[in-house]
Amino acid sequence: FKSFIGYGRNSEKRCSREPNFMISGKANDIKNLLDKLKADNPDIKEVILLSYEGLVMVSTLESGVQEDTISAMAAGVNSSILRFLKALKWHAFSDILITSSKDPIKDELKEYILIKDIKSVGLLVVLTKSDVDWKRLHSHVNYAISTISAMV
């Protein structure tokens, strides 16, 4: 987390967590990458990069309760799955997919949350719209992951 955040008071771009932090050049580059990922893929609603503990490092979401709720859920799911895998003596996962439906009775308007592990960096959480083109989504997300990995 320290490698993403710099200190300062005279910056327009600040980390939403603390008013005395500003986004470092590296974090700004990652933010631009996530904004481009969202803009280039019509299936993506929002993207969040968070630490394994659930601290939001970079996000396309406006700061607020939704960001905190999503990051806490993703970190909790990740932690639970890692404990489960360790108990089974399995290796780490590559993707977690959560499916949600606005109306569970009609089972329509499904939306998805894709959680991808970026080794030694954190978790990339992608909120999607319904009717996802999975091939395109995975291609764009995997490109973003490899780019982020090379940046840090």
Side-chain angles (χ1 to χ4, degrees):
F1 194 63
K2 290 179 184 173
S3 65
F4 288 103
I5 304 298
Y7 296 95
R9 292 181 182 261
N10 299 324
S11 176
E12 292 178 22
K13 294 190 175 191
R14 296 184 188 273
C15 175
S16 63
R17 297 262 171 245
E18 293 288 334
N20 292 331
F21 288 108
M22 67 177 181
I23 297 179
S24 70
K26 192 181 295 187
N28 195 40
D29 291 345
I30 293 172
K31 171 76 167 96
N32 290 338
L33 176 70
L34 297 185
D35 287 340
K36 183 169 176 23
L37 174 65
K38 180 180 170 183
D40 289 351
N41 194 316
D43 297 326
I44 295 176
K45 289 170 60 174
E46 302 296 343
V47 186
I48 305 169
L49 177 63
L50 55 112
S51 70
Y52 292 109
E53 295 80 23
L55 298 172
V56 175
M57 293 189 277
V58 182
S59 171
T60 62
L61 280 169
E62 296 295 322
S63 62
V65 176
Q66 187 180 22
E67 183 179 78
D68 292 340
T69 302
I70 292 167
S71 63
M73 176 276 308
V77 167
N78 177 61
S79 177
S80 295
I81 287 177
L82 289 177
R83 280 194 306 273
F84 172 75
L85 293 175
K86 185 177 179 181
L88 293 174
K89 297 182 171 120
W90 290 2
H91 296 285
F93 68 91
S94 61
D95 298 359
I96 300 171
L97 181 64
I98 300 170
T99 305
S100 138
S101 179
K102 297 283 185 186
D103 186 345
I105 295 170
K106 294 180 182 176
D107 197 35
E108 58 187 30
L109 289 176
K110 286 187 178 175
E111 293 182 346
Y112 305 93
I113 299 173
L114 176 64
I115 303 170
K116 304 230 1 141
D117 184 14
I118 305 176
K119 302 292 182 222
S120 302
V121 176
L123 302 171
L124 187 69
V125 180
V126 180
L127 286 72
T128 73
K129 300 174 182 173
S130 57
D131 300 325
V132 176
D133 178 342
W134 289 105
K135 186 175 180 178
R136 178 180 60 206
L137 180 77
H138 277 284
S139 174
H140 287 188
V141 169
N142 288 336
Y143 172 78
I145 288 172
S146 64
T147 304
I148 292 168
S149 294
M151 287 180 177
V152 294

